Amino acid sequence: MPSAFSLYWLKQTAMSPATPSTVNLETLRGLVERVVYHTEETGYCILKVMPEGKREPVSLIGKAPRVVAGEQFEALGKWESTRDYGQQFKAETLKLTRPDSAAGIERYLGSGLIEGIGPAYAKRLLAKFGKRIFDVIENESVKLEDVEGIGRKRRLEIRESWMKQKSVHNIMLFLHQHGISSSRALRIYKTYGDEALSVLNSNPYRLAQDIHGVGFKTADDIAHQMGVAADAPERLRAGLLHVLETAAGRGHCCLPEMLVVQQAVELLRCSEAMILPEVGHLIAAAQMERHTLEAQNVLYLPQLRAAEQSIANAIRGLVAQPVEKLLGDDHSIQAAIAMAATQTGKQLAESQQRAVVAALQNRCLIITGGPGVGKTTILHTILTIMRSKEVKVILAAPTGRAAKRLNESTGLEAKTLHRLLECQGSGEWGRHRGRPLTGDLFVVDECSMIDTPLMAQFLSALPAGAQLLLVGDADQLPSVGPGMVLHDLIRSGKVPCVKLTEIFRQAASSRIITSAHEINRGQIPDLKVARDSDFFFIEATAPEEISRTVVDLMQRRLPARYGFDPLTDIQVLTPMNRHQLGTRALNEQLQAALNPPSELKYEIERFGANFRVGDKVIQTHNNYDKDVFNGDIGHIVSIDTDPLKVCVRFEGGRLVEYEPGELDELQLAYALTIHKSQGSEFPCVIIPLSTQHYILLERSLIYTAVTRARKLVVMVGDPGALRMAVGRQESRKRWTGLSTLISL
C-alpha cells in the first residue's frame, strides 16, 4: 500500500494542468517512406511519410534515435506552413514501430538497417517467409540458409545485427510507454546503451546525475511514471542533490545545511524528519560534503569543494614562492619602465608605476579596477619589459570575444582558457597537472568571468616556476558558473593586489566612464541630456513604449545621428530572456525591423526561431569541431536547401556551416542578455530598463552593461528601475568558501 506521502504526490501530479505544449496538437499516423535527413547526435530528422488516408507523402520533422524507411510512425504535433517547403508536420513526440504490412517490411529490411540484407535479399526473404520473417531471424535463423545466396556467415551476420537493433527498439518502446519523449529517450539510450532499462528500473533519478539537460523534475516525472513512491529514499536523496545543483547554477559553491534541508522539504513535499537521515546517507556515500563556514555547517557537492581546495592550494603555493628577479634594484626597474614608455608611447602615472613594480616583484598578482583607470596601459608596459628579457608570455581570457580584445589591445596572440587547456569536452582536458602548460608568465584578462571549476583546472596546469598575472574588474558581474573567484582571491587578503581607482584625464571626459563609476558607488548618474554626451537616458515607462523606442533607436535614430551600422555597431543588452523586454521578444521585433522577410531571402524555422539570410546570430555552445565558441557573433550569409544547411560568417571572416539539427547552437543576437555580453565591447549599447526586470535588477548588472560600450550608451526606460538596480547588490552575495580556504 502506498504511503501517505505517495498518495499526496500522486494526487498533486494528477491535479497538475496539461502543459501548454500538449494543447491543440493532433496525431498523425502512417508509414515512413524516406529518411531525408537524420543525425544521431541530436536525433533531429526530416522524413517523407505517407499518413493514413492520404495519397501523397508529406514532410515530417521530429526527433528519434534512429529511423528506418518502412517503419510505422505515430506523431503528436501540428501542421506548419513554410514558404520554401510548403506544409510540414512538426512533431513534439515521434514513436516508431516495426512495420506489419508486406510493403513496409520489404522497405524496412532493405533499408540497410540490418547488416547482410539489402533490397534484393529483402524481397527474397519476404517471398520465402512472409510476415514471419522477424521471428525467423530471431528464433529460427538457420532457416535463412534456405534462401538463395545466404550461407552460414551471412546468416550469423544478419541475426547478430537484428538482435542489436531489437535491443535499441525495445528500450525506445519502453521509454515511450512510460511517457518519455523521443529527445529524452535518445539521450538516455546514448548514455546507458543496452543498460538503459536496468538503470531506469533500479534508480531513475540517476538520469539527473548522469545526463546533461535532464534535471530532477524530469527524472521525477519519469520515476512517477514508473511507480516510484514519493517517500522512496532514492527520491529524497535526488531532491537534496538537486537543491545543491540548482544553487550551483545560481553561482553558489555551497549552501547552509538548514537552508538545503528547508528547500528540499519544499521541493519534495515531505517532512524534515524524513530528509535529515538522507543527508547523512549522501555524506557517507561521498555524494555530498559537510564543512564549517562562518560558524555554521554548509553542504557542498564534492567536485565544487575539491575545486575550491585545489585553487586555494595552488594560490598559497604561488604566493609563497619568491619570484625570479629579472631586474636588480629599483634603479633598474625604473630604467625598464622608461624604456617601455619609449616603445609604447605611454607615460605612466605614479599609481600605474606601482602596479608595474608589483608585477615584476610577485609570483602572483591581481590588478583590478574599473574602466578608465589604465589597466591596458599597465599591461602594455609589463609585457614590453618581460618580452625584452625574453620571458615567454602566454595570454588568455575566459571567452573568445575577450581573447580577441586582449589580442587587439596587446598585439600578441591570446587564447580562450578552454583552448589553452585543450578542452576536449565532457570534462576532459589535454592540459593538467600531469601535462602542464609551457610558458613563463601567464596573463589572464577578464578574470571576473572565471568560475571555480575552470580556475581550478587552469591553476592545476600551470608549470612549476610560472608567474601569474590576473587582470579584471571585480565589480562586474561574477561568473555565470559557480563561485566568484576574483572577488574571493581579493577578499582573502593573501594575494598581492593592486586596486586602481584613479580615472585618467582622457577617460574622465567620458560620461560612460564617470557614470559607470557612479553606478558602482551606488549613486544615480546624471541623467540630464547634454548634446555632445556619450551617455543618454530616455525616459519611458510602459514596456510597449520602451520596446518601440529601442527599435526606433536601432533602426533609424542612431544610424542617422552617428552613422552606426545597426547590425555591426549597435548592441541591445537586456537583463533577461523572458517577458516583453527580454531577448526573445526584442529579437523578434528587431529582426522584423532590420531584416524583414522577402522573396529574395531564404528562411528556415528551427527550435522556435526563424533564421533568415542577413540575420545577426550568436553561438551559444563551445563547438571545438567547428572552431566556434560560446559568445561568438556572426551573420547568416546563406541558407541552402539541397542539402539543407546554414552558413554563418563570424568575426574575422570565418565561415561555418550548420546542418538543421545543429541550429540549436545558434540564437538571434540583435538583443543579448547582459550576462552574455561579458568580455565583449561594442561601439554603441542600448539598455532597456523596466521594473518588469525587478528580479534581476542589481548594481553589477547595470555596471557591466554600461562598461560594454566604447562610444555611446543609451538607456531607455523607467528611472525607478534604474534606482532599484543601483540600490541592490544581489549578485555579490554568493555562498563560497574559497577566501576562507586561502586564509587557512
Side-chain angles (χ1 to χ4, degrees):
M1 179 178 292
S3 69
F5 285 101
S6 297
L7 292 171
Y8 177 77
W9 185 42
L10 293 171
K11 180 180 177 183
Q12 291 296 318
T13 306
M15 292 171 63
S16 299
T19 58
S21 62
T22 61
V23 177
N24 300 323
L25 300 181
E26 60 179 288
T27 300
L28 195 69
R29 298 182 181 88
L31 199 70
V32 176
E33 289 273 305
R34 181 164 61 94
V35 180
V36 178
Y37 175 85
H38 179 255
T39 172
E40 291 185 358
E41 288 300 310
T42 62
Y44 179 87
C45 56
I46 303 172
L47 311 176
K48 281 292 182 184
V49 299
M50 183 65 74
E52 293 175 352
K54 299 276 187 181
R55 294 186 176 182
E56 295 292 331
V58 300
S59 292
L60 182 148
I61 297 170
K63 283 190 174 183
R66 64 110 176 90
V67 57
V68 184
E71 284 186 305
Q72 295 175 172
F73 76 88
E74 178 180 312
L76 180 68
K78 59 184 178 181
W79 290 98
E80 293 184 347
S81 181
T82 65
R83 180 171 59 84
D84 295 317
Y85 308 106
Q87 285 282 99
Q88 295 179 329
F89 192 82
K90 188 173 182 180
E92 297 265 334
T93 62
L94 176 60
K95 299 179 183 179
L96 296 155
T97 56
R98 288 199 300 271
D100 59 9
S101 68
I105 291 171
E106 183 178 339
R107 188 183 294 269
Y108 182 84
L109 288 173
S111 67
L113 173 73
I114 303 170
E115 294 176 20
I117 301 179
Y121 281 111
K123 190 180 290 292
R124 293 178 200 172
L125 289 166
L126 186 64
K128 177 73 174 176
F129 301 108
K131 294 183 181 181
R132 291 184 54 247
I133 180 58
F134 298 130
D135 184 60
V136 169
I137 292 173
E138 185 170 340
N139 299 309
E140 303 175 86
S141 68
V142 70
K143 291 184 178 180
L144 298 178
E145 296 182 28
D146 296 339
V147 175
E148 181 186 354
I150 297 180
R152 183 175 184 275
K153 182 179 178 181
R154 184 182 292 271
R155 185 254 300 180
L156 293 174
E157 180 184 30
I158 290 171
R159 187 178 187 280
E160 182 181 353
S161 178
W162 167 256
M163 295 305 292
K164 180 180 178 181
Q165 294 300 328
K166 182 187 176 186
S167 173
V168 176
H169 174 82
N170 288 343
I171 289 169
M172 299 307 296
L173 185 63
F174 175 86
L175 296 174
H176 284 143
Q177 286 172 344
H178 286 82
I180 301 171
S181 70
S182 296
S183 58
R184 285 175 181 162
L186 173 73
R187 276 182 282 172
I188 292 168
Y189 179 75
K190 287 180 70 174
T191 301
Y192 301 117
D194 293 343
E195 300 298 314
L197 297 186
S198 165
V199 169
L200 286 167
N201 282 315
S202 62
N203 181 9
Y205 291 98
R206 272 189 59 185
L207 302 180
Q209 300 169 39
D210 298 343
I211 303 177
H212 177 71
V214 176
F216 171 79
K217 291 182 180 178
T218 299
D220 204 30
D221 288 342
I222 294 170
H224 170 57
Q225 291 279 348
M226 298 180 67
V228 176
D231 57 351
E234 60 266 32
R235 179 171 185 262
L236 302 180
R237 294 166 194 165
L240 282 162
L241 291 173
H242 173 69
V243 169
L244 283 182
E245 287 158 359
T246 301
R250 292 172 180 163
H252 302 288
C253 288
C254 58
L255 279 184
E257 182 169 353
M258 291 315 298
L259 182 58
V260 174
V261 171
Q262 175 189 329
Q263 292 182 7
V265 166
E266 293 171 1
L267 172 72
L268 299 165
R269 299 192 184 101
C270 64
S271 70
E272 186 177 305
M274 296 176 64
I275 287 291
L276 290 174
E278 304 308 331
V279 172
H281 177 91
L282 288 169
I283 292 171
Q287 292 180 273
M288 188 182 281
E289 292 187 20
R290 179 189 284 129
H291 297 276
T292 302
L293 181 65
E294 296 179 9
Q296 61 181 317
N297 286 339
V298 295
L299 296 177
Y300 273 91
L301 293 171
Q303 64 270 25
L304 288 179
R305 178 65 178 190
E308 283 194 342
Q309 189 67 65
S310 177
I311 293 170
N313 293 343
I315 290 294
R316 285 201 303 266
L318 280 168
V319 170
Q321 293 178 40
V323 70
E324 180 184 345
K325 289 193 176 182
L326 298 172
L327 301 164
D329 52 19
D330 291 344
H331 177 75
S332 300
I333 292 174
Q334 290 304 317
I337 292 173
M339 175 275 297
T342 301
Q343 290 193 21
T344 63
K346 300 284 187 181
Q347 293 293 329
L348 300 190
E350 186 179 344
S351 61
Q352 293 175 310
Q353 290 189 38
R354 287 197 298 269
V356 173
V357 172
L360 297 173
Q361 294 179 339
N362 287 281
R363 178 75 66 183
C364 178
L365 178 72
I366 296 169
I367 297 178
T368 185
V373 297
K375 294 193 298 292
T376 301
T377 301
I378 292 167
L379 187 54
H380 255 176
T381 303
I382 294 168
L383 294 177
T384 300
I385 294 171
M386 290 296 197
R387 294 183 74 210
S388 73
K389 300 298 180 181
E390 299 185 351
V391 171
K392 184 177 181 181
V393 177
I394 306 295
L395 303 184
T399 67
R401 290 181 68 83
K404 182 183 177 186
R405 283 180 56 205
L406 185 57
N407 163 255
E408 290 170 347
S409 66
T410 64
L412 302 176
E413 181 187 17
K415 296 181 178 180
T416 65
L417 284 169
H418 284 83
R419 180 175 291 284
L420 181 69
L421 296 169
E422 300 175 14
C423 178
Q424 298 160 13
S426 304
E428 298 295 321
W429 304 83
R431 295 290 182 171
H432 42 72
R433 187 169 284 105
R435 185 172 175 259
L437 297 161
T438 58
D440 303 314
L441 170 64
F442 289 80
V443 179
V444 186
D445 198 12
E446 294 286 359
C447 286
S448 63
M449 300 173 64
I450 305 177
D451 63 27
T452 299
L454 181 57
M455 181 60 91
Q457 185 64 40
F458 169 63
L459 292 177
S460 75
L462 276 184
Q467 196 171 345
L468 178 62
L469 178 60
L470 302 173
V471 183
D473 185 348
D475 293 321
Q476 284 190 28
L477 284 170
S479 57
V480 174
M484 43 196 316
V485 174
L486 181 62
H487 182 272
D488 281 350
L489 293 179
I490 296 169
R491 187 173 63 168
S492 73
K494 300 294 185 181
V495 185
C497 179
V498 175
K499 298 180 182 179
L500 302 169
T501 57
E502 180 184 356
I503 303 174
F504 291 96
R505 186 170 54 191
Q506 185 176 351
S509 65
S510 165
R511 282 187 60 193
I512 293 176
I513 302 296
T514 56
S515 297
H517 283 275
E518 286 166 349
I519 289 168
N520 196 36
R521 292 193 297 266
Q523 301 168 358
I524 302 295
D526 184 1
L527 303 183
K528 293 193 296 290
V529 176
R531 181 173 178 80
D532 296 326
S533 175
D534 57 4
F535 180 93
F536 293 94
F537 191 99
I538 299 175
E539 190 168 337
T541 304
E544 298 85 357
E545 183 186 4
I546 295 172
S547 60
R548 279 197 307 270
T549 303
V550 167
V551 172
D552 188 42
L553 283 165
M554 195 164 181
Q555 182 183 27
R556 185 181 63 85
R557 291 163 63 179
L558 294 178
R561 173 70 174 82
Y562 298 93
F564 289 138
D565 183 324
L567 293 181
T568 58
D569 296 334
I570 305 173
Q571 185 61 59
V572 176
L573 300 180
T574 185
M576 61 203 313
N577 287 309
R578 296 180 294 110
H579 300 310
Q580 197 168 345
L581 294 172
T583 56
R584 294 167 192 164
L586 286 171
N587 270 319
E588 288 181 8
Q589 295 173 56
L590 291 166
Q591 182 192 44
L594 299 172
N595 190 30
S598 78
E599 292 297 322
L600 300 177
K601 293 178 185 174
Y602 282 113
E603 182 172 320
I604 183 172
E605 191 280 327
R606 292 293 182 268
F607 306 106
N610 288 305
F611 294 110
R612 298 178 192 132
V613 171
D615 273 336
K616 183 178 183 180
V617 292
I618 185 170
Q619 174 78 16
T620 60
H621 302 85
N622 290 332
N623 188 322
Y624 295 91
D625 293 331
K626 294 184 183 295
D627 197 33
V628 286
F629 302 93
N630 187 7
D632 285 354
I633 292 176
H635 295 84
I636 296 176
V637 293
S638 66
I639 298 177
D640 296 331
T641 57
D642 189 20
L644 194 58
K645 64 182 179 183
V646 174
C647 186
V648 178
R649 176 177 282 114
F650 287 96
E651 294 169 333
R654 288 173 300 142
L655 290 172
V656 179
E657 291 184 351
Y658 294 80
E659 294 180 344
E662 299 172 323
L663 291 178
D664 59 342
E665 295 185 12
L666 294 177
Q667 290 178 3
L668 293 175
Y670 301 97
L672 300 176
T673 62
I674 296 168
H675 278 92
K676 275 285 184 192
S677 74
Q678 283 183 269
S680 301
E681 272 192 351
F682 310 95
C684 174
V685 165
I686 303 173
I687 308 167
L689 280 178
S690 168
T691 52
Q692 190 181 76
H693 299 139
Y694 73 94
I695 294 175
L696 291 177
L697 287 179
E698 59 95 31
R699 189 181 304 169
S700 293
L701 191 82
I702 305 305
Y703 174 75
T704 299
V706 169
T707 56
R708 298 309 88 206
R710 287 199 303 268
K711 297 180 180 179
L712 183 68
V713 169
V714 183
M715 288 187 175
V716 183
D718 186 344
L722 179 60
R723 284 193 297 272
M724 183 186 301
V726 171
R728 298 169 68 197
Q729 293 196 74
E730 296 302 313
S731 73
R732 300 182 195 181
K733 297 175 182 177
R734 290 188 171 186
W735 281 96
T736 68
L738 179 58
S739 63
T740 301
L741 286 170
I742 294 172
S743 301
L744 291 177

